[in-house]
């Protein structure tokens, strides 16, 4: 259980799973804390990549205790994001507009 929010973390989102690792994919049971250093390193790498994209919209994301993300705008507003799958919805809410990830302004 997460001490900060009191939530049970029952599953790991697919973006936080090392699916490229054949040994990991073949496991029937994943032990909590196993390969934690590698998981955190990959998670922080994904945060850096997301920040390059979100910076275009004036947003920034941080890792929160290895279980959630916090998304911030330049005015200090923030949202907690459970996983990268919810990042775009939260980003759109903070920007108060529908963000077109394939729009010409972003792609250029």
């Amino acid at each position: 259980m997460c001490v900060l929010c009191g939530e049970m973390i029952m599953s790991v989102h697919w973006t936080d799973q090392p699916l490229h690792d054949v040994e990991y994919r073949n496991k029937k049971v994943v032990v909590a804390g196993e390969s934690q250093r590698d998981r955190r390193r990959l998670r922080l790498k994904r945060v850096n990549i997301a920040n390059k994209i979100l910076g275009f919209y004036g947003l920034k994301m941080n890792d929160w205790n290895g279980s959630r993300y916090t998304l911030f705008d330049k005015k200090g507003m923030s949202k907690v994001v459970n996983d990268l799958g919810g990042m775009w919805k939260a980003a759109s809410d903070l920007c108060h507009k529908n963000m077109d990830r394939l729009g010409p302004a972003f792609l250029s």
Side-chain angles (χ1 to χ4, degrees):
M1 180 176 298
C2 173
V3 231
L4 296 174
C5 57
E7 287 188 41
M8 296 289 285
I9 301 169
M10 299 302 290
S11 62
V12 178
H13 192 263
W14 68 267
T15 57
D16 274 335
Q17 297 177 12
L19 299 176
H20 61 279
D21 185 350
V22 176
E23 184 179 321
Y24 179 87
R25 284 191 321 229
N26 292 332
K27 287 185 179 185
K28 301 294 182 207
V29 176
V30 178
V31 178
E34 184 179 26
S35 305
Q36 183 69 4
R37 183 180 298 158
D38 293 333
R39 188 181 78 78
R40 292 283 289 175
R41 185 180 306 118
L42 290 171
R43 186 175 172 86
L44 292 174
K45 189 181 270 189
R46 286 189 291 274
V47 167
N48 286 335
I49 293 168
N51 280 329
K52 289 177 184 177
I53 296 167
L54 292 168
F56 177 80
Y57 300 102
L59 301 173
K60 183 176 179 176
M61 188 168 73
N62 291 332
D63 176 58
W64 180 25
N65 201 30
S67 63
R68 303 273 191 271
Y69 300 97
T70 48
L71 192 62
F72 299 92
D73 67 5
K74 290 182 179 179
K75 300 174 195 167
M77 297 295 295
S78 65
K79 282 195 168 276
V80 175
V81 181
N82 290 329
D83 50 58
L84 291 180
M87 180 183 73
W88 287 112
K89 169 74 170 103
S92 293
D93 291 348
L94 280 176
C95 287
H96 303 291
K97 64 180 177 181
N98 189 11
M99 301 167 72
D100 184 6
R101 277 104 46 208
L102 297 176
F106 174 72
L107 292 176
S108 67

